[in-house]
Amino acid sequence: MKVSFQSNTTDAVQKGILVLGAFEDNALFARTNELNATTGGQIQRALNASSFKGKKDDVLSIPVPNGLEYAQIVLVGFGKASDATPLSLEEAGAKALAVVARSTQDTLTVDLSDIPLGKEGLARFVSGIEMRSWRFDKYKTKEGDKPKGPENVIVRTGDVDGAALAFNRLHAVVEGNFLTRHVVSEPPNVIYPETMAEQAKELAALGLKVEVLDEAKMKALGMNSLLCVGQGSVRESQLIVIQWDGGTLGNAPVAIVGKGVTFDSGGISIKPSTNMEDMKYDMGGSGVVLGLMKTLALRKAKVNAVGVMGMVENMPSGSAVRPADVVKSMSGQTIEIVNTDAEGRLVLADALWYTQDRFKPQVMIDLATLTGAITVAVGYEFAGLFSNNDRLSDQLTEAGKVVGELLWRFPLTKTFDKDIDSDIADMKNVGSGRGAGSITAAQFLQRFVNNVPWAHLDIAGMAWDKKDRPLSGKGATGFGVRLLDQLIEKNFEK
Ligand code: BES
Ligand code: MN
Ligand code: ZN
């Protein structure tokens, strides 16, 4: 999608789709009123004949308006101006695009004279359009199966430079989110640890430092917990480290760590075949790390940040790790493997330890599609938040509200800790089946953070959506990129 800004004092080239606005109770924007007159009152008549009330999420499509060359008008409801937030405006833009996502029209013109929150509001609306325009159709070979929707967006405004500047900031986040959605959507025969490493290396062109540790290097570091997960796979495991040094030299970085299981079959504790294909998105946490690092580089964030991605494929085979095996992690702590399907925590155990040990971060946040249990607890509307630090926890929760990526905090206490004590090793990788599976998983991770201010986001219910989400539709959501971008901008820059 190509977005350009144009002065609203010039004549518009009337082509394709025109997006206009109205507030609640059908108080038309000034520009909508003007064009209503041009159409001989057709917009008003269409309104009267419909259930459109100008509420947020109301949209009305009016084909071939009289007296105009546009093929279609999409009238968007903005609710009460006083209720508008950056997020509500993004969602309104996304809603408008959803209506025309399968249109054959190539051009979409946005002409919203009275949009709330000025140029920032307009930029948000347009970034919502962009967010919703993403598709994953590279494996469709028939053109007819690939509806393109509008590719050119022309935004009419009284402040071309101001709106473009505000939009560019948001566009960097959209680009990062798209990269996440892309790698999460790719099948596991295309995205596996080594190809994720290639994706990461491509980001070096943006000024990011990218390093890849192969199995030999990880072995030398003692990362047997991570390595044992990949040992049944023909794919070589990788630890990917991406650094962005946009902050003051010597300032401790913000570290983001991602679970990157490019396919989770469960291993020897193999999963049932129903929905096993979903386990391609078990690298969703690492996908967020990749996308976020791209965003930070694109917008030249004034922060030192490091992204670490633990990449493995979890497969059953003669060389696979067994239930009952004991491994020694990089931290020196030993782990009895009781269930090879509880592999995410094994990957993160070494990735977290390595990250705090090498980078001494001011805070460390991990993202992982860690437990099915988190969807039992909070469904598909919240990610689980687990933290040893109230301040970081509050900052994350607040950032989530701003961008519409909601978090719900769960307890972490010693009482749950007992559940993962092993009879023969320092710990075992699953609880004793007394419920609270997401908490025991987080409690396990906590043993590898060495008291660094840390938060764990269990995104198992949020990385992928089988229904429509406002900004991302169906499929990969990129959940976490907007959240962490907002967290960093608000709390860790300058
Ligand atoms: N990758 C899964 C968790 C998952 C489930 C992610 C559904 C996304 C959607 C994880 O590795 C796993 O298998 N967890 C087990 C843990 C259990 C063995 C203690 C689970 O949730 O059943
Ligand atoms: Mn698993
Ligand atoms: Zn998994």
Side-chain angles (χ1 to χ4, degrees):
M1 179 166 267
K2 197 177 137 282
V3 177
S4 54
F5 292 82
Q6 182 184 82
S7 166
N8 59 13
T9 58
T10 62
D11 284 341
V13 180
Q14 298 185 8
K15 226 172 76 177
I17 300 151
L18 175 66
V19 175
L20 297 174
F23 289 119
E24 199 155 306
D25 299 325
N26 292 350
L28 303 184
F29 286 13
R31 186 68 183 137
T32 312
N33 242 327
E34 260 173 60
L35 291 171
N36 179 47
T38 314
T39 62
Q42 188 189 1
I43 295 178
Q44 190 61 57
R45 283 201 305 283
L47 275 177
N48 295 345
S50 78
S51 60
F52 185 95
K53 289 278 177 291
K55 291 196 178 120
K56 181 185 171 279
D57 287 343
D58 275 358
V59 266
L60 178 66
S61 171
I62 307 168
V64 287
N66 292 327
L68 294 168
E69 302 296 319
Y70 294 104
Q72 182 182 3
I73 289 175
V74 173
L75 185 62
V76 177
F78 285 87
K80 288 199 189 77
S82 56
D83 289 344
T85 63
L87 178 60
S88 77
L89 295 172
E90 284 178 309
E91 290 183 352
K95 188 92 191 189
L97 198 276
V99 171
V100 298
R102 303 180 78 85
S103 168
T104 53
Q105 299 295 324
D106 181 62
T107 302
L108 183 144
T109 301
V110 175
D111 203 346
L112 297 169
S113 54
D114 300 301
I115 192 163
L117 312 185
K119 62 188 176 197
E120 177 64 17
L122 184 59
R124 290 280 170 178
F125 184 86
V126 180
S127 101
I129 289 181
E130 217 185 10
M131 278 291 281
R132 192 64 201 243
S133 71
W134 185 84
R135 298 177 302 267
F136 190 75
D137 55 13
K138 62 184 281 201
Y139 298 113
K140 297 268 189 198
T141 62
K142 304 204 174 56
E143 280 311 307
D145 294 344
K146 300 200 221 192
K148 286 226 164 12
E151 302 256 314
N152 281 309
V153 175
I154 300 168
V155 185
R156 294 177 55 79
T157 165
D159 180 2
V160 168
D161 292 346
L165 193 69
F167 174 72
N168 282 341
R169 161 76 182 72
L170 303 174
H171 178 70
V173 187
V174 176
E175 290 265 293
N177 174 283
F178 281 10
L179 176 59
T180 305
R181 287 198 234 173
H182 176 82
V183 291
V184 169
S185 303
E186 283 283 15
N189 59 330
V190 172
I191 283 289
Y192 47 89
E194 286 173 306
T195 51
M196 266 303 259
E198 281 163 27
Q199 291 280 335
K201 283 178 194 155
E202 280 183 25
L203 297 183
L206 300 175
L208 289 154
K209 267 192 260 167
V210 182
E211 264 170 88
V212 179
L213 280 66
D214 61 11
E215 288 187 354
K217 289 213 181 88
M218 286 191 272
K219 181 95 212 150
L221 287 165
M223 301 177 91
N224 302 306
S225 180
L226 183 152
L227 285 169
C228 81
V229 178
Q231 79 188 33
S233 167
V234 296
R235 307 290 191 198
E236 152 121 7
S237 301
Q238 311 265 278
L239 189 82
I240 306 171
V241 181
I242 310 179
Q243 285 174 264
W244 172 250
D245 300 322
T248 310
L249 189 73
N251 268 12
V254 172
I256 315 290
V257 180
K259 168 180 172 182
V261 178
T262 60
F263 186 70
D264 180 13
S265 68
I268 297 297
S269 315
I270 199 160
K271 287 182 181 294
S273 50
T274 306
N275 295 329
M276 201 201 273
E277 71 278 15
D278 288 350
M279 287 302 103
K280 74 167 180 180
Y281 71 74
D282 210 20
M283 39 61 70
S286 68
V288 173
V289 173
L290 188 74
L292 176 74
M293 296 311 289
K294 179 173 187 178
T295 290
L296 296 179
L298 282 176
R299 68 173 186 79
K300 302 200 163 34
K302 294 187 175 55
V303 68
N304 296 330
V306 51
V308 175
M309 298 145 70
M311 307 304 310
V312 300
E313 184 183 54
N314 187 21
M315 294 293 267
S317 78
S319 64
V321 69
R322 289 161 289 256
D325 282 359
V326 174
V327 295
K328 185 173 204 163
S329 67
M330 182 183 175
S331 72
Q333 301 174 93
T334 54
I335 304 162
E336 180 187 10
I337 315 286
V338 169
N339 187 323
T340 67
D341 196 14
E343 83 299 338
R345 64 199 76 180
L346 298 172
V347 173
L348 288 173
D350 280 336
L352 287 166
W353 185 267
Y354 172 85
T355 302
Q356 61 78 32
D357 182 55
R358 173 170 170 194
F359 295 104
K360 314 280 183 261
Q362 49 176 312
V363 294
M364 181 159 72
I365 300 159
D366 77 72
L367 300 103
T369 48
L370 203 64
T371 65
I374 198 66
T375 66
V376 178
V378 282
Y380 303 89
E381 299 300 331
F382 288 83
L385 164 63
F386 306 80
S387 181
N388 60 4
N389 187 283
D390 291 344
R391 183 178 145 97
L392 177 61
S393 183
D394 290 346
Q395 288 169 337
L396 277 161
T397 305
E398 205 39 55
K401 286 182 191 157
V402 173
V403 303
E405 296 187 340
L406 300 176
L407 304 177
W408 195 263
R409 189 174 181 186
F410 288 82
L412 282 179
T413 63
K414 284 238 172 336
T415 37
F416 293 105
D417 219 27
K418 284 198 216 86
D419 217 28
I420 51 172
D421 287 336
S422 158
D423 291 339
I424 65 160
D426 295 333
M427 68 195 86
K428 55 187 179 185
N429 77 329
V430 287
S432 307
R434 301 198 293 118
S438 304
I439 300 176
T440 47
Q443 203 75 50
F444 181 98
L445 298 181
Q446 191 173 18
R447 296 186 180 199
F448 298 89
V449 304
N450 211 5
N451 295 321
V452 169
W454 154 80
H456 156 59
L457 308 181
D458 193 335
I459 59 169
M462 304 310 292
W464 190 274
D465 212 304
K466 294 193 175 181
K467 303 191 311 277
D468 259 14
R469 292 196 77 77
L471 294 176
S472 54
K474 281 185 193 167
T477 62
F479 181 104
V481 175
R482 286 158 55 82
L483 170 75
L484 295 179
D485 173 73
Q486 172 69 25
L487 173 88
I488 287 173
E489 180 184 42
K490 183 85 201 293
N491 304 288
F492 295 98
E493 284 192 61
K494 267 164 262 163

